[in-house]
Amino acid sequence: MSMNQEKTCKSEPSIAMMFREEIPEITEAIIRSCEEPGSFTHINHEPIPSRQEVVFIVHALQKLIFPGYFSRETLDATNLRYKIGHSVSRLFDALAQQIIHSLRHDCFRYDQSCIHCTEQGYETARKLFRAIPELRRILTTDVHAAYDGDPAASSHDEIIFSYPGIFAIYTHRIATILYKEEVPFIPRIMSEYAHSVTGIDIHPGATIGERFAIDHGTGVVIGETTQIGRNVRIYQGVTLGALSLPPDAGNRLRGKKRHPTIEDDVIIYSGTTILGGNTVIGARSVIGGNVWLTESVPPDTLVVIEAPRLTYRASDSLKEKNSHVFT
Amino acid sequence: MSMNQEKTCKSEPSIAMMFREEIPEITEAIIRSCEEPGSFTHINHEPIPSRQEVVFIVHALQKLIFPGYFSRETLDATNLRYKIGHSVSRLFDALAQQIIHSLRHDCFRYDQSCIHCTEQGYETARKLFRAIPELRRILTTDVHAAYDGDPAASSHDEIIFSYPGIFAIYTHRIATILYKEEVPFIPRIMSEYAHSVTGIDIHPGATIGERFAIDHGTGVVIGETTQIGRNVRIYQGVTLGALSLPPDAGNRLRGKKRHPTIEDDVIIYSGTTILGGNTVIGARSVIGGNVWLTESVPPDTLVVIEAPRLTYRASDSLKEKNSHVFT
Amino acid sequence: MSMNQEKTCKSEPSIAMMFREEIPEITEAIIRSCEEPGSFTHINHEPIPSRQEVVFIVHALQKLIFPGYFSRETLDATNLRYKIGHSVSRLFDALAQQIIHSLRHDCFRYDQSCIHCTEQGYETARKLFRAIPELRRILTTDVHAAYDGDPAASSHDEIIFSYPGIFAIYTHRIATILYKEEVPFIPRIMSEYAHSVTGIDIHPGATIGERFAIDHGTGVVIGETTQIGRNVRIYQGVTLGALSLPPDAGNRLRGKKRHPTIEDDVIIYSGTTILGGNTVIGARSVIGGNVWLTESVPPDTLVVIEAPRLTYRASDSLKEKNSHVFT
């Protein structure tokens, strides 16, 4: 046995070589599979948007929106203008390029002419950069709303540094600008990046007012055509979604209003699901936890579920084998 | 006070030195704790699998499965063969090495002989690479299923670029091949990486048919012995889990079928929990949201909960102090 | 058309230049917005804690707590002392510096004198490093608890390598030490990092006993003043939270006990919500899935919901257009 083992160890490179001889064959099989009709590949010269670069832009813009918080170097009165200017200069091109790549990718794929892609890319980047002061103002209201409603927040700075809700809302407020300008891919790459980081899934199409707060946030879903007013607060696991979809829903319902409207000053507690494009939650209403709503609610209404009855028993019964009752 | 402060500032290096003198003692205490029986350490010469390298492999294989989408450089007809060939060549060794490390780690820990680890590592890597064309075909069906059922998807490319469901399913289809070959650690490192990125927790042991779609996905749990047919669609927060476990469940139930079977063409809406190894959801059934099921359902069945009654009140009542009614 | 296109392509640099001329104006607008009262910026010379560095520390400490598991290089008897010593030496300063930055940031912002920040920073770092052997012991009990209750775990090593629950608990056990020492920012940056990676949101203020296990974990929320005994096991989607909050809750309830107490040997199944600072779940109780509890439960009690009634129908009815019944 130990001789065998020794022999095996010595021959490790030769085992590797034996298997590696198949690499050309494996490679050709993969390439052949790329030629099959309907196969998803992006094999052509036109550049495509880069997820990695879009993620870089999300974090770099965050440093412009909350100056000094996320830099490793100090930002002070003496270098402020240089650093902000340098950052704007670099990011402006980076964002414009990604938008241009996205527009061209679609032009190419759908055989459209690509006359204005460059101009449109820069034009859209300009719109976003010009919006930064207003974005800063709105995000300030969001930070205040997060603080005012959360006893566990020890400072506004802690919220900016670490709250997933603020990161998700920040990313949404950037992504929705690009979405409204009909930039392909990038808004959704941004929002799905924030979803990955925070567990909060806000489609870039959603419209959301000032002073929006999401606490904890994991499992929150806010659909494409949702409309949310001012000073709304939601908790983990809240879905603002579409009603059930017929089998061909993808094509039939694309672009239609499918998600609810939440008016000003509404609070929605954890685990609640509100569905449907005609569902309106009236201003100042409070929706309790674990509610399932598919109908409108008038303003100033409190909605709670009649909690399911609980059964209490001695937990000794669990010691019986295969007790499955309480799962 | 300001003198004190100045003094403190000046002496910063000396404060550091004072504390740093304890570093040898702290180090020895940690090392001693590693020698205690039952302590978890991996202090020996045998290499172990690297989580970082496994994550690299997950992303590198994704570039082979969806060529051109995730590269920073352009992939076109002139360089396709070189890039794919180079990538296969590099990844083949990288994956084989990680598998060998995993096998050896187990041999070492459980005092087994380690005769065939190298050969088995390369053999398993070969199986996975030979499966890539078929994986590409199946994942194409998954992308189509995602698109067909989701009005918010604006293109197939958007799904490939950004949908967490597709990333989780892609990772699962890789991990499950290694799981079936009984590779230790790596399948679970892969699936837990996808869980971390997407909030979707699919155990590599689960068996899942073509055209599988997960929308939004945060909170989805699919257990080890789950079996899912063709063309199944599930939403965020769905658990396909085990019934409650007796206290020594870990050892008693390891390897047994504990999770449900979902037949072809089933849809399961958000927040629903389906439990138990004998539970079968018949083909073409639709399970509504927030359902809790521990029994089988015949084919072509619609299951919905009788929603808990809602209570509506004026939300003025909330202004009273300490109103806790609706939590 | 193609002439136009050609012209557009040629003029790409000039389009870029045209738009780039606005960069100074955009920069000035952003700088002006930083000067507005109430705007969140951190523009001053004092260094601030770095999220990136704190995340580095979390992962580096993990290598000290589970030696050999997460290193790329081999750790063996010959280099153990050097590697652990080098790592402690480097991390000790890194952690002390981040604590000092956090303390100074608060001193600066709230105009307090900053006499003892350096000393306090090193003092706190020392406390954490001295606690590592004990942390190793406690985390060993957590790994055993994860294994004992989970039939899908194939080894203790698999849990250390890949389980999100263990990563979240490890991070919490570090963060809570700093929280108890009243270090600003860093505990929450750590816990929100673990939240981002695992979907498990444990506030660093929570007190948690040995042998704590979280399975799957996505969506778990454990609030700031929660107290959890020994040998408690919870599943995905469990919230240990506060009762509903009055509008000015943030300020009124800061620091009060708002979250439940869970005694020894309790199991809480998935999707269950337990709320309120006076709510005590007695020892050895089992709380079933999807339960909503705002009252105490005596020891040795099994609590299950009377499941909502299910309605079964033929799913043919779904083929009718706009069937919304089951959403």
Side-chain angles (χ1 to χ4, degrees), chain A residues 125-229:
Chain A
R126 173 166 67 178
K127 274 189 191 150
L128 193 143
F129 275 87
R130 284 196 174 282
I132 287 179
E134 172 63 5
L135 281 169
R136 295 195 68 247
R137 192 192 64 72
I138 295 176
L139 280 157
T140 298
T141 72
D142 298 326
V143 172
H144 280 290
Y147 184 78
D148 294 345
D150 179 11
S154 62
S155 69
H156 294 95
D157 285 348
E158 186 180 73
I159 290 165
I160 295 170
F161 271 130
S162 61
Y163 270 42
I166 278 297
F167 185 72
I169 295 165
Y170 150 72
T171 305
H172 173 73
R173 299 210 185 280
I174 299 287
T176 198
I177 291 176
L178 303 178
Y179 174 91
K180 276 168 193 156
E181 298 294 324
E182 300 186 6
V183 176
F185 306 120
I186 297 179
R188 198 68 191 269
I189 291 174
M190 287 178 165
S191 67
E192 288 297 346
Y193 174 65
H195 181 193
S196 168
V197 168
T198 65
I200 298 167
D201 178 354
I202 311 179
H203 193 286
T207 303
I208 301 178
E210 302 185 357
R211 275 187 70 84
F212 182 52
I214 304 174
D215 203 2
H216 307 299
T218 307
V220 163
V221 174
I222 300 177
E224 183 178 19
T225 62
T226 306
Q227 293 188 301
I228 296 179

Side-chain angles (χ1 to χ4, degrees), chain B residues 19-277:
Chain B
F19 282 96
R20 288 182 60 78
E21 274 165 13
E22 300 181 22
I23 284 177
E25 192 191 322
I26 289 170
T27 301
E28 294 307 315
I30 295 173
I31 291 171
R32 266 197 314 280
S33 83
C34 293
E35 287 156 2
E36 268 166 43
S39 152
F40 289 115
T41 66
H42 194 285
I43 300 166
N44 61 58
H45 189 66
E46 202 57 59
I48 54 166
S50 156
R51 190 183 178 281
Q52 209 177 327
E53 186 74 4
V54 170
V55 167
F56 164 77
I57 290 169
V58 166
H59 284 288
L61 283 173
Q62 193 189 16
K63 292 178 190 169
L64 283 181
I65 302 263
F66 295 113
Y69 282 94
F70 297 99
S71 316
R72 303 203 89 171
E73 304 140 55
T74 300
L75 190 67
D76 65 18
T78 65
N79 65 11
L80 177 67
R81 185 153 276 108
Y82 307 140
K83 292 213 170 178
I84 301 281
H86 173 72
S87 181
V88 169
S89 168
R90 183 174 169 199
L91 277 178
F92 188 72
D93 264 0
L95 178 61
Q97 284 304 320
Q98 290 302 313
I99 299 172
I100 294 165
H101 289 180
S102 298
L103 294 169
R104 286 222 175 113
H105 177 278
D106 263 21
C107 285
F108 186 92
R109 184 140 292 206
Y110 303 116
D111 276 328
Q112 296 163 344
S113 62
C114 185
I115 310 178
H116 299 301
C117 290
T118 301
E119 203 164 340
Q120 202 182 325
Y122 275 99
E123 179 67 42
T124 305
R126 172 166 68 179
K127 274 190 191 148
L128 193 143
F129 275 88
R130 285 197 173 282
I132 288 179
E134 171 63 5
L135 281 169
R136 296 194 68 245
R137 190 192 64 74
I138 296 176
L139 281 156
T140 298
T141 72
D142 298 325
V143 172
H144 279 291
Y147 184 78
D148 293 346
D150 179 9
S154 63
S155 68
H156 294 94
D157 285 348
E158 186 180 72
I159 289 164
I160 295 170
F161 271 130
S162 61
Y163 271 41
I166 278 297
F167 184 73
I169 295 165
Y170 150 73
T171 306
H172 173 74
R173 298 210 185 280
I174 299 287
T176 199
I177 291 175
L178 303 178
Y179 175 90
K180 276 168 193 156
E181 298 294 323
E182 300 186 6
V183 177
F185 306 120
I186 298 179
R188 198 68 191 270
I189 292 174
M190 287 179 164
S191 67
E192 287 297 346
Y193 173 66
H195 181 193
S196 169
V197 168
T198 65
I200 298 167
D201 179 353
I202 311 179
H203 193 287
T207 303
I208 301 178
E210 303 185 356
R211 276 187 68 83
F212 183 52
I214 304 173
D215 203 2
H216 307 298
T218 307
V220 163
V221 174
I222 300 177
E224 182 177 21
T225 61
T226 307
Q227 293 189 299
I228 297 180
R230 245 191 120 265
N231 198 38
V232 167
R233 183 172 191 84
I234 70 178
Y235 285 83
Q236 70 271 21
V238 165
T239 290
L240 306 177
L243 282 162
S244 66
L245 307 170
D248 58 342
N251 292 308
R252 182 124 60 92
L253 298 178
R254 210 150 269 146
K256 299 260 171 63
K257 171 100 162 87
R258 309 179 305 279
H259 306 94
T261 297
I262 313 295
E263 294 184 348
D264 296 352
D265 305 306
V266 165
I267 300 177
I268 306 172
Y269 283 95
S270 67
T272 282
T273 298
I274 302 178
L275 304 176

Side-chain angles (χ1 to χ4, degrees), chain C residues 21 24-25 49 79 129 134 194 203 219 222 239 273 290 305:
Chain C
E21 274 165 13
E25 193 191 321
N79 65 10
F129 276 87
E134 172 63 5
H203 193 286
I222 300 176
T239 290
T273 299
N290 278 12
I305 60 167

